[in-house]
Amino acid sequence: MKKLLLMLGCLVMVVGCSCSNDKAADAVEKYLNDYKGLSDNVLQDIDDLVENESLTDKGKETYKEVLKRQYRDLIYTIDNEDYDGDTADVTVKITVYDLYKAQKNASEYLNSHQDEFLTDGEYDNDLYMDYKLEQMKNINDTVSYNIVFHVTKTDGKWYVEQPSDEVLEKIHGVYNYDED
């Protein structure tokens, strides 16, 4: 699921921001506001992503709710802009739901309660995925990250460069901070 969220981030990006803006931070704000506002592109990418998941119909609807809530409730502040000619680094503090924690807790729960995810004596992945998605849907714990977006000016317009996988994981709330 983590890789699929990253793919969604890549799709949503639409190679930065092609709006006219005077500052690099404007491009970053546009990028993040597309998530928060659930732009048409974001909604289409969510639909495409979820349709390719092997989840029950209920699971697909729950997954869509999780993604929409995560993006809609994302909080950010622009902390700094550092310019070097036609390139800039824009530092942003974001706060998102801690979906990594929800997934980790669901996995730990599975390990200690395997009998709850059996159907006719066999492990039932659909039961586990429904449980995991419900945990993700209902988590209220948040996590904050400082992210540096690299922005380039081309033909008088600022564009957000493709964020790294780590940055996308942080935006999506699935970054494994236990490895830091």
Side-chain angles (χ1 to χ4, degrees):
M1 194 171 290
K2 185 160 116 176
K3 289 181 182 176
L4 293 170
L5 285 173
L6 289 175
M7 182 188 321
L8 179 65
C10 293
L11 294 172
V12 167
M13 194 175 105
V14 191
V15 191
C17 171
S18 62
C19 52
S20 61
N21 43 48
D22 297 325
K23 302 183 320 180
D26 294 340
V28 173
E29 285 187 28
K30 168 74 170 98
Y31 176 78
L32 293 172
N33 284 338
D34 279 352
Y35 278 106
K36 288 185 62 60
L38 299 173
S39 72
D40 290 341
N41 289 338
V42 170
L43 291 174
Q44 185 60 56
D45 290 343
I46 288 172
D47 287 343
D48 293 345
L49 173 76
V50 171
E51 273 312 305
N52 292 320
E53 286 290 303
S54 36
L55 297 168
T56 63
D57 288 343
K58 176 187 171 196
K60 288 180 180 183
E61 286 307 310
T62 303
Y63 193 17
K64 285 180 185 181
E65 289 176 40
V66 167
L67 294 172
K68 288 177 183 178
R69 177 177 178 247
Q70 179 71 301
Y71 301 151
R72 187 178 49 245
D73 293 352
L74 178 146
I75 298 168
Y76 72 89
T77 55
I78 304 289
D79 287 341
N80 187 44
E81 294 174 88
D82 184 26
Y83 290 88
D84 184 11
D86 286 344
T87 64
D89 288 334
V90 178
T91 305
V92 178
K93 179 181 179 184
I94 67 161
T95 302
V96 293
Y97 292 114
D98 193 351
L99 298 181
Y100 168 74
K101 180 179 181 181
Q103 291 176 349
K104 180 180 172 188
N105 290 347
S107 178
E108 290 171 358
Y109 188 84
L110 170 65
N111 289 334
S112 60
H113 297 87
Q114 292 179 1
D115 55 319
E116 293 180 29
F117 302 98
L118 300 178
T119 300
D120 297 328
E122 296 289 322
Y123 171 73
D124 187 336
N125 192 58
D126 288 340
L127 287 177
Y128 172 66
M129 290 305 294
D130 286 344
Y131 173 81
K132 180 177 167 177
L133 288 166
E134 282 298 318
Q135 299 309 301
M136 292 168 66
K137 176 181 167 188
N138 294 320
I139 194 159
N140 288 316
D141 296 349
T142 60
V143 60
S144 295
Y145 299 106
N146 289 318
I147 296 175
V148 177
F149 287 93
H150 304 290
V151 187
T152 304
K153 191 173 194 177
T154 305
D155 296 328
K157 296 178 185 176
W158 289 100
Y159 296 89
V160 175
E161 294 179 8
Q162 174 63 44
S164 68
D165 288 350
E166 180 178 308
V167 167
L168 291 172
E169 289 173 1
K170 289 177 179 180
I171 292 170
H172 302 304
V174 296
Y175 178 71
N176 181 352
Y177 47 77
D178 288 337
E179 292 181 356
D180 284 345

